[in-house]
Short mmCIF file of all heavy atoms in Angstrom, two decimals:
data_model
loop_
_atom_site.label_atom_id
_atom_site.label_comp_id
_atom_site.label_asym_id
_atom_site.label_seq_id
_atom_site.Cartn_x
_atom_site.Cartn_y
_atom_site.Cartn_z
N TRP A 159 -20.63 2.16 0.87
CA TRP A 159 -20.53 2.10 -0.53
C TRP A 159 -21.56 3.10 -1.22
O TRP A 159 -22.66 3.13 -0.72
CB TRP A 159 -20.75 0.71 -1.13
CG TRP A 159 -19.70 -0.25 -0.70
CD1 TRP A 159 -19.86 -1.37 0.07
CD2 TRP A 159 -18.30 -0.26 -1.01
NE1 TRP A 159 -18.63 -1.99 0.25
CE2 TRP A 159 -17.73 -1.35 -0.35
CE3 TRP A 159 -17.48 0.68 -1.68
CZ2 TRP A 159 -16.30 -1.70 -0.48
CZ3 TRP A 159 -16.11 0.38 -1.78
CH2 TRP A 159 -15.58 -0.77 -1.21
N ILE A 160 -21.15 3.79 -2.24
CA ILE A 160 -22.16 4.67 -2.89
C ILE A 160 -22.48 4.26 -4.30
O ILE A 160 -23.45 4.79 -4.86
CB ILE A 160 -21.67 6.18 -2.77
CG1 ILE A 160 -20.31 6.34 -3.45
CG2 ILE A 160 -21.71 6.57 -1.40
CD1 ILE A 160 -19.81 7.80 -3.46
N GLU A 161 -21.64 3.45 -4.94
CA GLU A 161 -21.93 2.96 -6.31
C GLU A 161 -21.02 1.68 -6.57
O GLU A 161 -19.97 1.59 -6.00
CB GLU A 161 -21.49 4.13 -7.26
CG GLU A 161 -21.81 3.90 -8.64
CD GLU A 161 -21.42 5.07 -9.51
OE1 GLU A 161 -20.95 6.14 -8.98
OE2 GLU A 161 -21.58 4.93 -10.78
N GLU A 162 -21.58 0.83 -7.45
CA GLU A 162 -20.78 -0.35 -7.81
C GLU A 162 -21.30 -0.92 -9.11
O GLU A 162 -22.37 -0.64 -9.56
CB GLU A 162 -20.84 -1.44 -6.61
CG GLU A 162 -22.24 -2.03 -6.46
CD GLU A 162 -22.22 -3.07 -5.38
OE1 GLU A 162 -21.73 -4.27 -5.56
OE2 GLU A 162 -22.67 -2.68 -4.26
N ASN A 163 -20.43 -1.72 -9.69
CA ASN A 163 -20.83 -2.39 -10.95
C ASN A 163 -20.93 -3.93 -10.78
O ASN A 163 -21.08 -4.65 -11.73
CB ASN A 163 -19.87 -2.13 -12.11
CG ASN A 163 -18.65 -2.95 -12.01
OD1 ASN A 163 -18.23 -3.32 -10.96
ND2 ASN A 163 -17.93 -3.17 -13.15
N SER A 164 -20.84 -4.44 -9.54
CA SER A 164 -20.73 -5.85 -9.31
C SER A 164 -22.07 -6.51 -9.13
O SER A 164 -22.92 -5.95 -8.59
CB SER A 164 -19.88 -6.09 -8.06
OG SER A 164 -19.91 -7.43 -7.73
N GLU A 165 -22.16 -7.80 -9.57
CA GLU A 165 -23.33 -8.59 -9.30
C GLU A 165 -23.17 -9.49 -8.14
O GLU A 165 -24.03 -10.20 -7.68
CB GLU A 165 -23.74 -9.39 -10.54
CG GLU A 165 -24.08 -8.53 -11.73
CD GLU A 165 -24.49 -9.30 -12.96
OE1 GLU A 165 -24.62 -10.54 -12.86
OE2 GLU A 165 -24.56 -8.73 -14.02
N LYS A 166 -21.97 -9.49 -7.57
CA LYS A 166 -21.66 -10.44 -6.47
C LYS A 166 -22.28 -9.81 -5.18
O LYS A 166 -22.69 -8.58 -5.14
CB LYS A 166 -20.12 -10.50 -6.27
CG LYS A 166 -19.41 -11.22 -7.44
CD LYS A 166 -17.99 -11.24 -7.19
CE LYS A 166 -17.26 -11.98 -8.26
NZ LYS A 166 -17.17 -13.41 -8.09
N SER A 167 -22.39 -10.58 -4.21
CA SER A 167 -22.98 -10.13 -2.94
C SER A 167 -22.05 -9.11 -2.27
O SER A 167 -20.81 -9.19 -2.43
CB SER A 167 -23.21 -11.27 -1.93
OG SER A 167 -22.01 -11.70 -1.41
N GLU A 168 -22.62 -8.17 -1.56
CA GLU A 168 -21.80 -7.16 -0.86
C GLU A 168 -20.81 -7.72 0.07
O GLU A 168 -19.70 -7.37 0.19
CB GLU A 168 -22.71 -6.13 -0.23
CG GLU A 168 -21.93 -5.01 0.41
CD GLU A 168 -22.85 -3.92 0.96
OE1 GLU A 168 -23.92 -3.70 0.47
OE2 GLU A 168 -22.34 -3.31 1.96
N THR A 169 -21.21 -8.75 0.80
CA THR A 169 -20.30 -9.40 1.75
C THR A 169 -19.10 -10.01 1.07
O THR A 169 -18.00 -9.80 1.58
CB THR A 169 -21.10 -10.57 2.55
OG1 THR A 169 -22.24 -10.04 3.13
CG2 THR A 169 -20.16 -11.15 3.66
N GLU A 170 -19.23 -10.68 -0.03
CA GLU A 170 -18.12 -11.27 -0.72
C GLU A 170 -17.13 -10.25 -1.16
O GLU A 170 -15.89 -10.37 -0.99
CB GLU A 170 -18.64 -12.07 -1.95
CG GLU A 170 -17.55 -12.83 -2.64
CD GLU A 170 -18.02 -13.58 -3.84
OE1 GLU A 170 -19.25 -13.74 -3.97
OE2 GLU A 170 -17.20 -14.08 -4.65
N ASN A 171 -17.62 -9.13 -1.73
CA ASN A 171 -16.72 -8.10 -2.21
C ASN A 171 -16.06 -7.29 -1.06
O ASN A 171 -14.91 -6.93 -1.08
CB ASN A 171 -17.43 -7.05 -3.07
CG ASN A 171 -17.80 -7.70 -4.46
OD1 ASN A 171 -17.22 -8.61 -4.95
ND2 ASN A 171 -19.01 -7.29 -4.95
N ASP A 172 -16.89 -7.03 0.05
CA ASP A 172 -16.29 -6.37 1.17
C ASP A 172 -15.06 -7.09 1.79
O ASP A 172 -14.09 -6.40 2.19
CB ASP A 172 -17.32 -6.21 2.26
CG ASP A 172 -18.38 -5.12 1.93
OD1 ASP A 172 -18.13 -4.44 0.91
OD2 ASP A 172 -19.35 -5.08 2.62
N ASN A 173 -15.11 -8.42 1.87
CA ASN A 173 -14.02 -9.11 2.37
C ASN A 173 -12.70 -8.92 1.70
O ASN A 173 -11.62 -8.81 2.28
CB ASN A 173 -14.24 -10.65 2.43
CG ASN A 173 -15.36 -11.01 3.50
OD1 ASN A 173 -15.61 -10.27 4.38
ND2 ASN A 173 -16.04 -12.07 3.32
N GLU A 174 -12.70 -8.72 0.37
CA GLU A 174 -11.52 -8.42 -0.40
C GLU A 174 -10.93 -7.12 0.04
O GLU A 174 -9.70 -6.91 -0.06
CB GLU A 174 -11.76 -8.44 -1.90
CG GLU A 174 -12.09 -9.80 -2.38
CD GLU A 174 -12.22 -9.77 -3.88
OE1 GLU A 174 -11.48 -9.05 -4.55
OE2 GLU A 174 -12.97 -10.67 -4.44
N ILE A 175 -11.77 -6.18 0.44
CA ILE A 175 -11.27 -4.81 0.64
C ILE A 175 -10.92 -4.65 2.18
O ILE A 175 -9.94 -4.05 2.50
CB ILE A 175 -12.35 -3.75 0.33
CG1 ILE A 175 -12.54 -3.91 -1.25
CG2 ILE A 175 -11.95 -2.37 0.70
CD1 ILE A 175 -13.76 -3.15 -1.64
N GLU A 176 -11.70 -5.23 3.09
CA GLU A 176 -11.57 -5.03 4.48
C GLU A 176 -10.19 -5.68 5.03
O GLU A 176 -9.71 -5.20 6.00
CB GLU A 176 -12.71 -5.63 5.30
CG GLU A 176 -14.06 -5.06 4.95
CD GLU A 176 -14.14 -3.54 5.20
OE1 GLU A 176 -13.42 -3.07 6.11
OE2 GLU A 176 -14.91 -2.88 4.56
N ASN A 177 -9.68 -6.69 4.31
CA ASN A 177 -8.53 -7.39 4.80
C ASN A 177 -7.25 -6.88 4.16
O ASN A 177 -6.21 -7.53 4.23
CB ASN A 177 -8.65 -8.84 4.51
CG ASN A 177 -9.84 -9.47 5.34
OD1 ASN A 177 -10.07 -9.06 6.48
ND2 ASN A 177 -10.56 -10.40 4.70
N GLU A 178 -7.23 -5.70 3.58
CA GLU A 178 -6.08 -5.18 2.93
C GLU A 178 -5.21 -4.22 3.81
O GLU A 178 -5.82 -3.51 4.59
CB GLU A 178 -6.43 -4.46 1.62
CG GLU A 178 -7.07 -5.43 0.66
CD GLU A 178 -6.28 -6.63 0.35
OE1 GLU A 178 -5.02 -6.64 0.42
OE2 GLU A 178 -6.80 -7.61 0.01
N ASN A 179 -3.98 -4.20 3.54
CA ASN A 179 -2.97 -3.39 4.22
C ASN A 179 -2.62 -2.23 3.29
O ASN A 179 -2.09 -2.38 2.33
CB ASN A 179 -1.83 -4.22 4.62
CG ASN A 179 -0.76 -3.40 5.37
OD1 ASN A 179 -0.92 -2.23 5.58
ND2 ASN A 179 0.31 -4.08 5.68
N PHE A 180 -2.97 -0.99 3.77
CA PHE A 180 -2.66 0.16 2.93
C PHE A 180 -1.52 1.02 3.53
O PHE A 180 -1.49 2.21 3.41
CB PHE A 180 -3.96 1.16 2.97
CG PHE A 180 -5.11 0.60 2.14
CD1 PHE A 180 -6.15 -0.11 2.70
CD2 PHE A 180 -5.14 0.83 0.78
CE1 PHE A 180 -7.18 -0.55 1.99
CE2 PHE A 180 -6.23 0.37 0.05
CZ PHE A 180 -7.23 -0.31 0.66
#
Side-chain angles (χ1 to χ4, degrees):
W159 293 119
I160 56 176
E161 186 179 355
E162 66 181 282
N163 78 332
S164 171
E165 295 180 13
K166 295 180 180 267
S167 72
E168 184 172 328
T169 304
E170 184 179 348
N171 291 330
D172 286 351
N173 289 336
E174 290 186 34
I175 297 167
E176 299 301 332
N177 296 323
E178 295 309 331
N179 181 0
F180 287 96

